[in-house]
Amino acid sequence: MAERALRGTRLGATSYENDRNTDLAPRQEVDYTCSRGHRFTVTLAAEAEVPMTWECRNCGVTALRVDGEAPQAKKGKPPRTHWDMLMERRTVEDLEEVLAERLAILRAGRRRTA
């Protein structure tokens, strides 16, 4: 009889196990809402650290935990620009001197070709 029950089925494609007599790990459900009004629930392990933000399943916007506060923005250094790095190495007077030298070279090259 057991042979007939398995005949014609794809072994490995379908699980014949059931959830009876199985103890699942303790879980917790956490509610999130995004700025566009979508509300959804995420199931996490009971001992897991619950994040304050989660990506919205509907629109992809960052959602905030319902019972939580908005995370504090981290203060970061502003990005260094080329000008900032240049000013670390030279003064304005040095730059004016280099500019004058380069302009003199360019003007001298134009006079020769003309």
Side-chain angles (χ1 to χ4, degrees):
M1 179 91 170
E3 281 183 20
R4 276 193 263 151
L6 294 176
R7 188 175 298 160
T9 61
R10 295 170 293 177
L11 292 177
T14 306
S15 174
Y16 292 104
E17 284 189 41
N18 55 28
D19 291 336
R20 282 184 278 156
N21 301 328
T22 304
D23 292 332
L24 299 175
R27 300 171 187 208
Q28 62 179 332
E29 291 186 348
V30 184
D31 293 325
Y32 290 92
T33 56
C34 75
S35 59
R36 296 185 182 167
H38 301 127
R39 186 180 180 116
F40 58 95
T41 303
V42 177
T43 304
L44 300 169
E47 63 271 358
E49 183 178 332
V50 179
M52 292 301 293
T53 59
W54 197 273
E55 184 177 320
C56 179
R57 294 177 177 172
N58 299 321
C59 60
V61 175
T62 301
L64 182 62
R65 206 165 91 191
V66 171
D67 59 345
E69 299 175 5
Q72 298 292 330
K74 295 179 182 177
K75 286 189 176 182
K77 296 193 306 186
R80 288 176 45 196
T81 63
H82 178 73
W83 180 255
D84 294 334
M85 289 184 270
L86 184 64
M87 293 308 294
E88 289 175 2
R89 294 189 311 261
R90 296 182 183 258
T91 64
V92 175
E93 293 79 24
D94 291 340
L95 294 173
E96 288 175 354
E97 185 179 321
V98 170
L99 177 63
E101 290 174 7
R102 297 307 298 169
L103 288 174
I105 292 170
L106 287 173
R107 288 179 184 142
R110 287 187 183 156
R111 289 184 197 137
R112 287 186 211 146
T113 58

